[in-house]
Amino acid sequence: EPVFADAARLLADPVPGCLVSHDMKWDNVIVRPDSTIALLDWELAGLGDPAVDVGFLLAEHLVRGGLDDAGRRLLAGYAETARPRSGAVPALSHRIALAAGLRIGQLAVEVADSRPAAVAPLTALARDVLTDADRLAREVSACLS
């Protein structure tokens, strides 16, 4: 579909020089007994766009019902740690929104064999997120600022 192709095209130029997981999901995040957070499963890691990793995590929140408090805390924590320049926040937010929409579309493909009834709702959600990425980007931007 054009909306998916357009979003992928917009994310084709990653931010150079940033180590990213390329497989960011909550299953790959653990909290250690001392409350520090560790990321697992780095075999796909490489240089890329951090917006994709953040967008992939955000997608899981959107699938569960929208940008909830935990999703907002995730974004605020990212902003606190990564400290994006204020001038970069709008572009970063838009890339996060696009990555989230594409990840939801990817989830639809991943569940096609095991949960065929979930494909249409996930595809519709991905399409909605990508069609109105500016709305989600504004919400993301508010959390990052």
Side-chain angles (χ1 to χ4, degrees):
E1 291 185 32
V3 70
F4 293 99
D6 291 344
R9 203 172 301 111
L10 289 169
L11 286 178
D13 296 324
V15 176
C18 186
L19 179 64
V20 295
S21 162
H22 290 120
D23 190 23
M24 190 60 69
K25 56 188 173 187
W26 287 116
D27 289 349
N28 291 340
V29 178
I30 62 167
V31 179
R32 294 180 174 156
D34 66 356
S35 297
T36 59
I37 296 172
L39 302 176
L40 307 174
D41 197 6
W42 285 91
E43 76 248 6
L44 299 175
L47 298 180
D49 187 345
V52 174
D53 276 356
V54 177
F56 275 30
L57 285 176
L58 180 60
E60 293 189 33
H61 292 272
L62 298 175
V63 166
R64 286 186 275 151
L67 185 53
D68 57 5
D69 287 339
R72 286 184 180 87
R73 287 193 308 272
L74 160 74
L75 293 167
Y78 173 77
E80 183 179 319
T81 303
R83 296 186 184 104
R85 295 182 321 271
S86 61
V89 167
L92 176 63
S93 299
H94 194 258
R95 292 176 73 83
I96 289 171
L98 293 175
L102 287 171
R103 174 61 178 151
I104 295 167
Q106 182 183 23
L107 288 170
V109 172
E110 289 176 3
V111 302
D113 290 336
S114 61
R115 296 180 46 217
V119 173
L122 286 171
T123 302
L125 177 59
R127 191 180 302 110
D128 290 347
V129 168
L130 293 173
T131 300
D132 196 9
D134 289 340
R135 181 194 56 76
L136 179 57
R138 284 189 298 273
E139 288 186 70
V140 170
S141 185
C143 296
L144 295 179
S145 297

